[in-house]
Amino acid sequence: MGDARESVRKVERGRGRPGCPVRRGADGTWEVRGYPAAREVLRAGETVQAGLGIETVEKLPSRIRRPVLYQDGPGHREQRRQTARFFTPRRVDEHYRELMTRVAEEQLAVLRAAGTAQLSDLSFAMAIEVVSDILGLTHSRPGLKSRLERFFPEEFGQPGLTSLRGLHWLLRQNVNWLSIHLADVRPAIRAHRRRQRDDLISHLLAEGCSGAEILGECLTYAAAGMVTTREFICVAAWHLFDDPLLRDRYRAAEEPERLELLREILRLEPVVARLSRRATAPMRVGGASVGPGELITVFVDEANADPDVVGRAPGLLRPGRVPALGPGPAGLAFGDGAHRCPGAGIAVLEADVLLSRLFAVDGLRMTGRPRVSFKDEIGGYEIRNLTVTVPTRRG
């Protein structure tokens, strides 16, 4: 399967703190790096979401319903129950697989015609189509990809009114919100009011949600399902390009084995590596006493490399691992508990649908070297300049 040098992480976030599964950081935040303690935090009923921009969301008027990502408690559980049908394995296979296949073939046609392309563009186009179908965001004006890239820029600023840069960020994002609302969400709402469909926007309209609330939900799903899947596909491709034996194994495998291999890559390279929770009551985490109101940060990348759970050489890519604890081969890369990503199965399948076809192309090469940047607040990464090249057909 390739030597240890080839199988280590492509995205290095810095060394962890071995032997320290739970500790208090210099700023008073509890840092959780051990897998059992991390899973305990994510499954705890005495915590609520923190980070991910929740401070901004909390400033919204109380009459505006929060996107499901920012909800907790009974209301959150009920919303997850009502929307679970959009993410079942049967629905994924019956409703989304054909779409994934069509979009993958379209992106390969783009690559063959040009001879070269950025994988981040191909994978983003794939993720946009799939999530848009789940949402019902299917009546957009041309340019959705560009509007989303402006809303989720490679370099984030910080909102605020105390500096020109902060004011510029705030004004720019308000313009971006408005452009997505006018060009994408509002046309979809109008179409759904004329004819109801079996998708998330129809569900939200039936729940009495306003246009602003639907916009917020759509952008939340865009961040969770489009942006992260793009990076997952890129990092998986990077591993396959750099490890010929791993690539041969992936090409020869049937779908279940390919999916397992991709989940092992995601265990090693979680796209979002920092998950934050705030305690709402006294609780114990890995033997430490955490008080109400205290912030807890789960270091997913380090928890996923806990040798007591994932076995020998946890920092190496080794498909076929059987973790000692759930939730599965990807570890905590999709979270756990009430806020576990509902689209986990969709993300892995669409990655495989695109990558299995991409790596079946004769003469496929990666040219140049990928560039990695980070979003420190979520421990996330972005991979750019992963250029793929294929021989062009001569007329």
Side-chain angles (χ1 to χ4, degrees):
M1 206 201 84
D3 60 30
R5 177 186 60 80
E6 294 172 320
S7 301
V8 298
R9 284 174 167 153
K10 303 297 184 186
V11 178
E12 184 53 63
R13 298 176 173 95
R15 295 185 179 276
R17 299 173 183 270
C20 232
V22 181
R23 67 183 294 274
R24 191 189 287 272
D27 63 354
T29 300
W30 288 99
E31 299 175 351
V32 178
R33 292 177 163 83
Y35 191 104
R39 196 171 189 218
E40 182 182 351
V41 170
L42 297 177
R43 297 171 69 89
E46 303 90 355
T47 66
V48 294
Q49 286 277 54
L52 299 173
I54 196 168
E55 296 79 8
T56 302
V57 173
E58 287 176 341
K59 295 176 182 177
L60 295 173
S62 58
R63 66 179 182 277
I64 297 179
R65 170 178 137 162
R66 274 55 175 166
V68 67
L69 176 66
Y70 300 104
Q71 298 177 20
D72 281 287
H76 174 260
R77 290 193 295 272
E78 179 59 19
Q79 286 301 315
R80 288 291 297 262
R81 186 192 68 78
Q82 291 180 11
T83 58
R85 69 182 187 275
F86 299 123
F87 306 100
T88 63
R90 179 175 179 178
R91 186 178 180 98
V92 171
D93 194 58
E94 293 181 355
H95 289 257
Y96 307 137
R97 183 185 289 274
E98 184 178 349
L99 170 65
M100 294 174 188
T101 301
R102 174 179 63 78
V103 177
E105 294 295 346
E106 290 172 353
Q107 295 309 304
L108 287 180
V110 170
L111 172 60
R112 290 189 180 99
T116 187
Q118 295 297 316
L119 186 56
S120 60
D121 291 336
L122 303 180
S123 58
F124 200 30
M126 176 79 161
I128 287 171
E129 289 277 356
V130 174
V131 176
S132 292
D133 191 77
I134 296 169
L135 293 172
L137 210 61
T138 52
H139 296 78
S140 295
R141 299 172 189 168
L144 174 57
K145 178 175 177 288
S146 297
R147 289 188 290 276
L148 288 170
E149 286 177 332
R150 288 194 297 270
F151 192 84
F152 300 109
E154 186 172 344
E155 293 185 8
F156 279 96
Q158 293 295 327
L161 300 175
T162 58
S163 69
L164 287 176
R165 185 175 182 182
L167 180 59
H168 176 262
W169 185 96
L170 189 63
L171 292 174
R172 186 190 67 188
Q173 285 302 81
N174 283 337
V175 170
N176 292 335
W177 273 80
L178 183 61
S179 67
I180 292 173
H181 173 69
L182 294 177
D184 305 294
V185 175
R186 189 169 70 173
I189 290 173
R190 288 174 172 173
H192 283 71
R193 282 179 173 152
R194 289 193 297 268
R195 184 170 69 87
Q196 190 175 20
R197 295 165 172 80
D198 186 23
D199 53 36
L200 191 68
I201 288 179
S202 286
H203 166 75
L204 295 172
L205 286 171
E207 290 284 295
C209 291
S210 67
E213 291 166 340
I214 294 173
L215 171 62
E217 203 73 74
C218 287
L219 288 171
T220 299
Y221 275 90
M226 297 178 187
V227 175
T228 56
T229 301
R230 170 176 59 183
E231 307 310 329
F232 171 36
I233 291 173
C234 287
V235 79
W238 192 356
H239 276 277
L240 294 171
F241 275 118
D242 272 7
D243 189 333
L245 293 179
L246 182 69
R247 183 169 65 248
D248 290 344
R249 176 175 176 175
Y250 179 76
R251 283 172 163 168
E254 298 295 326
E255 183 179 279
E257 184 181 352
R258 296 198 307 267
L259 298 181
E260 182 183 73
L261 188 153
L262 291 174
R263 291 188 182 101
E264 166 66 1
I265 292 175
L266 192 58
R267 176 198 68 81
L268 192 66
E269 312 270 20
V271 180
V272 175
R274 305 288 181 268
L275 297 174
S276 297
R277 299 288 187 271
R278 191 172 298 280
T280 58
M283 57 184 295
R284 299 281 292 176
V285 178
S289 297
V290 177
E294 292 190 316
L295 190 66
I296 308 168
T297 298
V298 173
F299 288 70
V300 176
D301 55 328
E302 297 183 35
N304 277 359
D306 187 331
D308 292 336
V309 174
V310 300
R312 189 169 58 89
L316 300 183
L317 180 64
R318 290 187 173 173
R321 292 181 186 271
V322 180
L325 299 174
L332 299 173
F334 289 110
D336 198 13
H339 282 279
R340 175 171 165 77
C341 175
I346 296 174
V348 177
L349 181 61
E350 67 180 284
D352 181 61
V353 167
L354 180 59
L355 291 174
S356 62
R357 285 161 176 77
L358 179 67
F359 280 93
V361 175
D362 291 334
L364 176 74
R365 294 182 298 119
M366 179 178 74
T367 56
R369 199 66 188 164
R371 172 174 55 84
V372 181
S373 60
F374 292 92
K375 299 192 185 305
D376 294 334
E377 66 275 11
I378 59 171
Y381 58 80
E382 288 189 342
I383 297 173
R384 298 295 178 269
N385 200 36
L386 199 167
T387 307
V388 291
T389 303
V390 298
T392 56
R393 296 177 180 174
R394 297 184 181 275

